[in-house]
Structures are given as C-alpha cells and as structure tokens.
Amino acid sequence: MEKIILDCDPGHDDAIAILLAAANPAIDLLGITTVSGNHNVDKTTRNALAVCTAYGINVPVAKGARGPLIGEQILAVEIHGETGLDGPVLPPASFELDSRHAVDFIIDTVMTHEPKTVSLVPVGPYTNIALAIRKEPRIIERVKRVIVMGGAYTRGNITPAAEFNIYADPEAADVVFRADWDVTMIGLDLTQTQALATPDLQDRVRAIGGSISTFILDIWEFIATTHGGLLQIKYPAIHDACCVAALIDPTIITSEKADIRVELAGRWSRGMTVCNFEKMGGMRHYAGTAAEQVDFRHTVAMTLDHPKFCDMIVEAIEWLSRTKNLN
Ligand code: RIB
Ligand code: CA
C-alpha cells in the first residue's frame, strides 16, 4: 500500500482525489492537509471535512497555510464558486479537525513513519510543503515520493505562462522543485486534455446511484460551467485525482525526465514551470550560465490511460457506496 498525505485545496477536482485516496485498496490515506488556493483556507478546510463526511470516511484533516510565502493570497473563486465547492450539498462535518497545523502534521507523520514509506501528494499551492521543508529539512530524505498536480510545459490556466497551483505560490513551488528529492509533475498539458469527466464516465457514475454518485455528478455539473465557460475545457478536468491514480497504478501514465525550474521574476511569466526535457534536445546547461548545470531528475507526466482512470473512479464510488451503506 502507498501511504500518502494529500495536501489540497478542495476544490472540485480535489474531491475526486480524496475519493480515490479513500477508496482504493492500494492507498493508505494517512491524512489530508489543507491550503489556501481554490478558496481561502477556512473554506477549503470546511470543504475537506464536508467531502470526507459525504464519503463516510474519517481521516485526520489538518488546516494549513492561509496564503503564499510571499505576496498576496490568490484564489480561484471564479472557477470554484463562493463556497470553493459550489454544486453539491456540503454536509456539516461529522468529525473534528486535527489539532495540529498542516505543516506539523506533515512533519510528525513523515518523521514517525519508517523512512521512505510516506509519499506527499500536493494538489493545491505548495505552501505547506515548502514550510515543512524549511521547518524540518530531514523530511526531504525521508519522504518516499513527491507527486504534484501543477505546472505545465505548454501553457498556463491563470496566465498564459502559469498554472494556478504554481502561480498562487511560486516561491513555494521553487522550494519544492529545488529540494533534493525527485518530483513527479502532473501538469495541465495532461490533466486538461486527457483527465476529463466525459459523458460516458458521467453515465457510468449515474448508473451507480446513491448519495456519492449524486455528490460527484453535482461536482461535475457545476465545474462544467466554469471549466467549459471560462477555460474552454471540453469536459470537467479531473486534475488532482491523476496524482493518486499514478500512485495506485504507475502504468496509468507515461512520462519523461526533465529539469524543472520555476520562473519567479518574469514580468509576464512569473509562476511558469520551465521544463527542459532530457530526450527532447535537453539543454545541458542554460545559455550563459554554465555554472547552472541542469539535472534531469524530475519526471513530467505526458499521457494518461483514460479508460483505466475512469474504471478507478467508478470502482471507488461503488466500493464506498457499498461499504458505507451510502446507497
Ligand atoms: O490548475 C489546476 C489546479 O488548481 C487544481 O489543483 C485545482 O484544484 C486548482 O487547485
Ligand atoms: Ca487542487
């Protein structure tokens, strides 16, 4: 089993990541940590508790950073609505928050488990992860894997150059990509073109019936209005769940090695993930900066096995509905 901490900003697609993490036998969800992003951290935390309650699960939820390391908080209310998770009925929490800050929950969990057994899965801005590294650098060598939703090697979604999770806290993303661990980046190039809630998937979910099926369909019905409208994405993009799916079955994605740098200073490109692919003419050093040797240690996801992805989502809803008597 893959032991994971899911760091998220629920958020419609975050809710599907929680679904897969909670309902697939390959994942041991040690906890959920929340961060400001799709909405403020008060609402993303309330939403995380509501999603767990709707799924009938009880895992530690720890509240995290209220804003980026530097600069003003950037939210995605125009995409996710006033609650941060508009659409489904959000039940009142059935359990209390963990008393620790998310950063302390991450450090405590990684440091109390055997080395190389806990993976971090940030699918919102990476503020909590960066703060955890700064507070306890030893987690870098102790973590098993870091697999992030964020970035893009083609174009962004909040600026032409930058994807939201990176743009909302570029300094935190820079800390995460510079740290001495190997990051797997699942970016927009894959998620908004391949990880889509197609009509066929929605029909399969509808056929399950029950409250979780309704909850997920209500999520997709709302997000289709903003993903389709504002972002011209053909069907709701299930960005964050791709990270959990890749931990459940690594063969669900194909990937390439790359050197990844986060642009911090560009007037028009701040928050861009500059991806220098090893096999696509990988530049061995950045022009004029021979000292800045590139290092193709990170991994960028390129393709997703959509049928397998859909099966995972359907099976997760079926399993939860059956075992939690939520029919
Ligand atoms: O750009 C997409 C990412 O930003 C997803 O994680 C979504 O939930 C938002 O956080
Ligand atoms: Ca997210």
Side-chain angles (χ1 to χ4, degrees):
M1 286 182 99
E2 290 290 341
K3 297 180 183 298
I4 75 167
I5 298 171
L6 182 66
D7 186 71
C8 56
D9 57 339
H12 293 71
D13 57 312
D14 305 71
I16 314 299
I18 294 172
L19 171 80
L20 289 191
N24 189 288
I27 301 290
D28 179 2
L29 179 58
L30 300 179
I32 293 170
T33 50
T34 62
V35 66
S36 159
N38 288 324
H39 214 299
N40 65 48
V41 72
D42 297 327
K43 290 191 176 179
T44 59
T45 305
R46 190 274 319 274
N47 294 343
L49 290 169
V51 169
C52 289
T53 302
Y55 294 165
I57 62 172
N58 183 334
V59 296
V61 175
K63 184 174 183 180
R66 191 163 289 281
L69 298 185
I70 295 174
E72 293 305 307
Q73 185 185 78
I74 295 170
L75 305 178
V77 180
E78 71 285 358
I79 301 294
H80 295 272
E82 260 320 296
T83 66
L85 190 50
D86 281 12
V89 173
L90 300 174
S94 59
F95 59 93
E96 297 295 318
L97 267 183
D98 189 288
S99 59
R100 290 167 286 184
H101 187 281
V103 171
D104 295 318
F105 178 85
I106 291 167
I107 293 168
D108 290 349
T109 304
V110 172
M111 298 308 288
T112 55
H113 279 77
E114 284 302 306
K116 302 296 183 188
T117 60
V118 178
S119 292
L120 301 181
V121 186
V123 296
Y126 308 156
T127 315
N128 292 332
I129 312 302
L131 290 170
I133 291 174
R134 284 282 186 268
K135 185 170 183 181
E136 180 46 89
R138 289 181 297 169
I139 67 168
I140 295 172
E141 71 204 14
R142 210 175 169 94
V143 158
K144 179 178 180 183
R145 280 194 69 183
V146 181
I147 182 164
V148 305
M149 193 281 140
Y153 56 85
T154 52
R155 61 180 175 79
N157 60 354
I158 187 164
T159 75
E163 178 277 330
F164 176 79
N165 287 341
I166 310 295
Y167 188 75
D169 195 343
E171 278 71 21
D174 185 48
V175 168
V176 168
F177 283 112
R178 281 177 178 271
D180 187 17
W181 54 20
D182 301 343
V183 176
T184 297
M185 180 184 108
I186 301 189
L188 286 180
D189 324 277
L190 181 151
T191 63
Q192 67 182 8
T193 58
Q194 301 177 52
L196 302 180
T198 56
D200 175 65
L201 172 58
Q202 298 196 40
D203 288 345
R204 290 179 64 189
V205 170
R206 189 170 295 106
I208 300 168
S211 62
I212 298 179
S213 165
T214 301
F215 189 82
I216 302 294
L217 290 169
D218 289 347
I219 280 179
W220 286 335
E221 183 180 3
F222 174 84
I223 205 72
T225 63
T226 57
H227 276 193
L230 280 177
L231 299 175
Q232 283 86 48
I233 303 172
K234 189 172 184 184
Y235 301 116
I238 315 171
H239 303 287
D240 297 341
C242 295
C243 295
V244 182
L247 281 167
I248 293 167
D249 177 357
T251 69
I252 203 168
I253 60 170
T254 63
S255 59
E256 292 288 348
K257 301 300 286 183
D259 175 279
I260 302 176
R261 311 265 169 116
V262 180
E263 178 56 63
L264 300 176
R267 181 175 176 200
W268 308 114
S269 56
R270 177 166 161 80
M272 180 177 182
T273 45
V274 180
C275 295
N276 175 10
F277 288 96
E278 184 172 35
K279 286 190 186 163
M280 300 178 211
M283 281 64 105
R284 289 313 186 255
H285 63 79
Y286 282 75
T289 57
E292 285 254 349
Q293 289 304 315
V294 299
D295 167 347
F296 301 110
R297 62 196 164 97
H298 297 317
T299 300
V300 177
M302 307 302 282
T303 67
L304 174 77
D305 183 325
H306 187 254
K308 267 189 188 175
F309 186 58
C310 294
D311 289 347
M312 276 184 194
I313 292 170
V314 168
E315 286 158 15
I317 299 170
E318 286 172 340
W319 184 84
L320 269 183
S321 303
R322 192 170 56 248
T323 55
K324 304 294 181 184
N325 296 315
L326 292 169
N327 293 311

